[in-house]
Amino acid sequence: MSFDANLQHLRATRSMTQEQLAMLLGVSRQAVSKWESGAAYPEMDKLLRLCDIFECPLDDLARGDLTHRPDEPALAVAPGPATDICDYDRHMRTQAALCAAGAACALLGIAGFCGTGGIAVYGIETCSIMWPYVFLLAGIAPACALFAFAGNAHRSFTHRHPFVEDFYSESDKARARKRKNAAWAAAIAIAITGASVCWFQTFPLQHLYGGLASLNIALACTAWLTVYSSMRASSVDTASYNRRMEERADSHGFEAQRLLLAACPDDAVMHRGSSAGEDGAQGPHAAAADRAHESHSSDSSLAACETGVLDVRAEQCGRQADAESFYHRIQERRKAAAGAIMAFSAIVALMMLFVLRSPDWMLAPIVGALVCVIVWVAMPFAKQRRR
């Protein structure tokens, strides 16, 4: 009996949907559907997890016949509304708060830059020219830290939970839309108020820098309201989240194969040759299966055929796992290199600004960004796998 038939039957004995099994395994619903249709085969860790869930030996799950296993009402999934078993709502709420705070910090840093710009122009002391940049960095640095932390947390969450069952009710979705509309209305009112204060300070009071600072403070409040409410409203659309995760999984698989071909062309050719050899070796198995079906030959030839098919699937899964492992290894090295380059460029920029007082300090982060792009593209080609 095949693995896909066993999986379908075991899932039916627990009254479990593909979505619920996907959430337990930390994979997408599309992956479970491919397993049950025979289009793909799970990795070893997922196989072991399936054995733990359905309480069956690995050999029986992969090659045995479990379709005669009776239903298990005591272990069946209880019917009822879906629940947030992976803490999706709390994660998305925290994500929205971090991103909104990052946007607000960046605008507050610009407000501090504009507010102290008058000191730089009309300042008595020469060193006062540095204060606008100090306020700007004091806003931009926390914003970058918040965005980086939010991005890493979301990447970790999506890696552990690529599928989330829709547990939001219609009233929850309607409430999120109403809060978004109310937040946008309040943001527009705050932006109009900030623009009015900016005009009053700029023209009647003749204080341009103060007006720009007031405008950016109002824009910071506006950014927090709009970003937080918009992200909260979009987070209740779990179907969109699942669709994005499936598209990202497909793109990651394609990127993994492309990087493997780019960095190790000889190995890719070897894999193609081995695939052709496996296909040729699979032919006699398929022919033996046909002859067994037509002439009702012994069960041993059928078992050998199924064993050969499973071996081919396992080999394909192994190559796919190698490609994904290479992809993740390259991604981690890319991130480490980019972080080191940008940290060094930031140090150089600060030294040029505060020590050397050079007006060309912005060239350091620009050059660092260009170097990051070059390293990001060239790293897969420079990395050769050891055979």
Side-chain angles (χ1 to χ4, degrees):
M1 186 58 63
S2 60
F3 164 78
D4 49 1
N6 289 332
L7 182 59
Q8 291 180 33
H9 179 75
L10 291 174
R11 184 173 59 81
T13 60
R14 300 290 181 89
S15 300
M16 188 184 298
T17 63
Q18 290 184 346
E19 289 82 0
Q20 292 167 341
L21 181 58
M23 292 181 67
L24 290 175
L25 293 173
V27 298
S28 64
R29 184 203 58 80
Q30 187 181 20
V32 177
S33 178
K34 288 181 178 179
W35 297 346
E36 293 189 351
S37 63
Y41 202 74
E43 298 176 358
M44 182 55 66
D45 59 335
K46 300 298 186 295
L47 282 172
L48 296 176
R49 178 61 178 157
L50 286 170
C51 294
D52 293 336
I53 293 173
F54 296 115
E55 298 178 355
C56 63
L58 177 60
D59 189 66
D60 292 345
L61 177 63
R63 303 181 181 183
D65 185 5
L66 300 176
T67 56
H68 300 295
R69 190 171 179 176
D71 294 344
E72 299 173 314
L75 300 176
V77 177
T83 57
D84 186 12
I85 63 175
C86 58
D87 214 4
Y88 170 82
D89 186 73
R90 185 188 64 82
H91 166 74
M92 297 305 290
R93 190 186 303 114
T94 305
Q95 189 78 2
L98 290 174
C99 292
C105 284
L107 288 170
L108 288 176
I110 297 174
F113 177 81
C114 295
T116 54
I119 300 177
V121 176
Y122 304 106
I124 300 175
E125 299 179 1
T126 307
C127 64
S128 62
I129 196 172
M130 295 188 302
W131 282 109
Y133 299 103
V134 171
F135 277 95
L136 180 63
L137 291 176
I140 298 297
C144 294
L146 288 171
F147 284 130
F149 180 79
N152 290 331
H154 188 64
R155 190 179 300 109
S156 176
F157 180 85
T158 55
H159 180 72
R160 289 182 286 109
H161 305 287
F163 179 83
V164 174
E165 194 173 10
D166 188 8
F167 59 90
Y168 290 106
S169 63
E170 292 300 327
S171 60
D172 293 336
K173 296 178 181 179
R175 193 181 303 114
R177 288 192 294 267
K178 289 180 181 178
R179 289 176 178 175
K180 177 184 175 180
N181 295 333
W184 274 83
I188 292 174
I190 294 174
I192 293 174
T193 302
S196 302
V197 173
C198 178
W199 178 86
F200 183 77
Q201 288 183 294
T202 301
F203 294 102
L205 300 181
Q206 298 294 316
H207 199 295
L208 174 62
Y209 294 101
L212 292 176
S214 300
L215 178 61
N216 280 280
I217 292 174
L219 290 178
C221 299
T222 301
W224 196 95
L225 287 172
T226 54
V227 171
Y228 182 82
S229 62
S230 299
M231 291 187 67
R232 287 295 297 152
S234 62
S235 65
V236 300
D237 187 8
T238 55
S240 177
Y241 172 87
N242 295 329
R243 184 169 58 253
R244 290 196 304 270
M245 293 303 103
E246 289 181 359
E247 293 174 355
R248 191 177 73 172
D250 294 339
S251 64
H252 281 185
F254 176 77
E255 180 69 9
Q257 295 292 347
R258 188 189 67 81
L259 289 178
L260 194 63
L261 288 172
C264 309
D266 296 336
D267 291 348
V269 172
M270 183 181 66
H271 283 323
R272 289 181 180 177
S274 62
S275 299
E278 289 165 358
D279 293 339
Q282 188 179 355
H285 288 297
D290 293 337
R291 289 194 302 270
H293 179 71
E294 292 174 0
S295 60
H296 303 283
S297 61
S298 63
D299 294 338
S300 60
S301 61
L302 249 171
C305 175
E306 292 179 357
T307 302
V309 172
L310 287 175
D311 291 341
V312 171
R313 285 183 178 179
E315 186 68 23
Q316 292 174 350
C317 292
R319 290 199 301 271
Q320 181 66 24
D322 290 341
E324 292 179 357
S325 175
F326 178 74
Y327 169 75
H328 290 299
R329 189 162 61 249
I330 287 294
Q331 289 296 92
E332 292 299 326
R333 296 192 178 190
R334 280 173 165 176
K335 294 173 186 176
I341 292 172
M342 292 309 298
F344 179 75
S345 63
I347 294 173
V348 172
L350 291 175
M351 292 183 61
M352 293 176 65
L353 175 62
F354 296 109
V355 179
L356 302 178
R357 306 287 179 86
S358 174
D360 300 328
W361 63 274
M362 282 297 294
L363 291 177
I366 294 175
V367 173
L370 293 176
V371 174
C372 283
V373 172
I374 295 173
V375 171
W376 192 277
V377 175
M379 187 169 288
F381 299 94
K383 172 62 181 173
Q384 296 293 334
R385 286 172 51 190
R386 295 181 179 179
R387 298 180 183 175

